[in-house]
C-alpha cells in the first residue's frame, strides 16, 4: 500500500525492549490508506444509520445521546451532559431546548447554586430512552453483518489499543456505558 512502508525506530519510553513500527511516511502519505480516514468513514456511516434508526423515536442521530446519558445516571446537569458528550455547553443547551420542546426532558435551576441547571427525563422521555439500546443494537448489528464473534473481539481489542496508544483520557480497556455510535 502506498505510503505505508513499515519501518522500525529505536524504542523509547514505554516501548523499552521493543521496536516501534512506523506505518506511515509523510513523503507519500495517502489519505485513502489512513486508519484515521477509515475510522472517520465508519463514524460517518454509523451517524447516517443512527439518524435513520432514531427517526422511529422522533430523534436525530445526535439527540439520543443526552437522553441516554440522563437515563443511565451519567449526567444530571447541562454542564455534565456537555462534558460527557464532548460538545460545548452552548451546543448542548440548544439540543436540550429541542428535547424539552418535544416533551422529553425538564430543566430546573439548582436551589444551592443558581448557575447549575439540572435536567431530568419526563415519563415520555424515559419511554423513548428505553428504546434507544434497541436502536443502537440494530445499527451495530447492521454494521457487523458477516463478522464472526472472534473478529468482533479482535476489532474491539484493536480499537481499544489504538485509543490507548493515542493517549485518550480514561482507561480505554474499561467498558463504558456512555453513548457510543
Amino acid at each position: 500500500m502506498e505510503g505505508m512502508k513499515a519501518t522500525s525506530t529505536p524504542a523509547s519510553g514505554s516501548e523499552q525492549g521493543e521496536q516501534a513500527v512506523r506505518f506511515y511516511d509523510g513523503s507519500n502519505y495517502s489519505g485513502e490508506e489512513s486508519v484515521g480516514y477509515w475510522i472517520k468513514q465508519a463514524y460517518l456511516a454509523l451517524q447516517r444509520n443512527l439518524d435513520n434508526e432514531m427517526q422511529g423515536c422522533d430523534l436525530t442521530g445526535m439527540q439520543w445521546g443526552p437522553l441516554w446519558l440522563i437515563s443511565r445516571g451519567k449526567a444530571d446537569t447541562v454542564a455534565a451532559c456537555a462534558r460527557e458528550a464532548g460538545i460545548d455547553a452552548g451546543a448542548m443547551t440548544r439540543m436540550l431546548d429541542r428535547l424539552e420542546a418535544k416533551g422529553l426532558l425538564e430543566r430546573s435551576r439548582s436551589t444551592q447554586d443558581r448557575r447549575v441547571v439540572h435536567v431530568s427525563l419526563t415519563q415520555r422521555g424515559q419511554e423513548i430512552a428505553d428504546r434507544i439500546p434497541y436502536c443502537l443494537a440494530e445499527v451495530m448489528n447492521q454494521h457487523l453483518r458477516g463478522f464472526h464473534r472472534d473478529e468482533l473481539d479482535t476489532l474491539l481489542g484493536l480499537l481499544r489499543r489504538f485509543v490507548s496508544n493515542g493517549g485518550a483520557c480514561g482507561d480505554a480497556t474499561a467498558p463504558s456505558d456512555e453513548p457510543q455510535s
Side-chain angles (χ1 to χ4, degrees):
M1 288 188 242
E2 241 180 88
M4 287 195 57
K5 181 176 69 175
T7 60
S8 295
T9 58
S12 64
S14 64
E15 301 167 347
Q16 292 177 346
E18 294 180 22
Q19 290 283 320
V21 177
R22 297 179 52 81
F23 291 99
Y24 296 99
D25 177 354
S27 66
N28 59 356
Y29 185 86
S30 169
E32 291 78 21
E33 298 301 328
S34 164
V35 172
Y37 172 84
W38 287 107
I39 288 173
K40 179 69 172 189
Q41 294 307 307
Y43 174 78
L44 292 172
L46 278 170
Q47 285 304 111
R48 277 191 306 274
N49 289 321
L50 282 169
D51 261 340
N52 289 336
E53 190 67 28
M54 292 297 172
Q55 284 179 0
C57 297
D58 191 28
L59 299 173
T60 67
M62 298 301 290
Q63 289 175 342
W64 66 268
L67 293 181
W68 179 256
L69 287 169
I70 296 164
S71 73
R72 298 291 183 210
K74 298 287 183 181
D76 66 350
T77 66
V78 174
C81 283
R83 185 175 47 256
E84 291 294 321
I87 64 174
D88 67 76
M92 180 56 69
T93 297
R94 290 185 296 278
M95 189 176 314
L96 295 177
D97 286 344
R98 290 188 287 278
L99 293 171
E100 189 174 34
K102 290 180 178 187
L104 302 178
L105 64 83
E106 299 170 326
R107 290 184 272 197
S108 61
R109 292 237 176 244
S110 169
T111 55
Q112 284 82 20
D113 184 345
R114 301 270 308 144
R115 296 171 295 180
V116 175
V117 178
H118 290 281
V119 290
S120 60
L121 298 181
T122 62
Q123 182 177 343
R124 182 166 178 256
Q126 185 60 56
E127 290 167 3
I128 297 292
D130 290 343
R131 293 173 51 193
I132 290 172
Y134 297 96
C135 295
L136 295 173
E138 186 64 33
V139 171
M140 289 293 114
N141 286 327
Q142 175 185 347
H143 281 263
L144 293 167
R145 192 175 42 239
F147 280 62
H148 297 282
R149 180 71 221 188
D150 60 329
E151 292 174 314
L152 174 59
D153 292 342
T154 298
L155 177 61
L156 288 171
L158 292 171
L159 288 170
R160 287 180 181 123
R161 191 164 92 206
F162 184 83
V163 170
S164 180
N165 285 349
C169 57
D171 179 5
T173 62
S176 173
D177 199 22
E178 295 171 22
Q180 304 289 314
S181 342

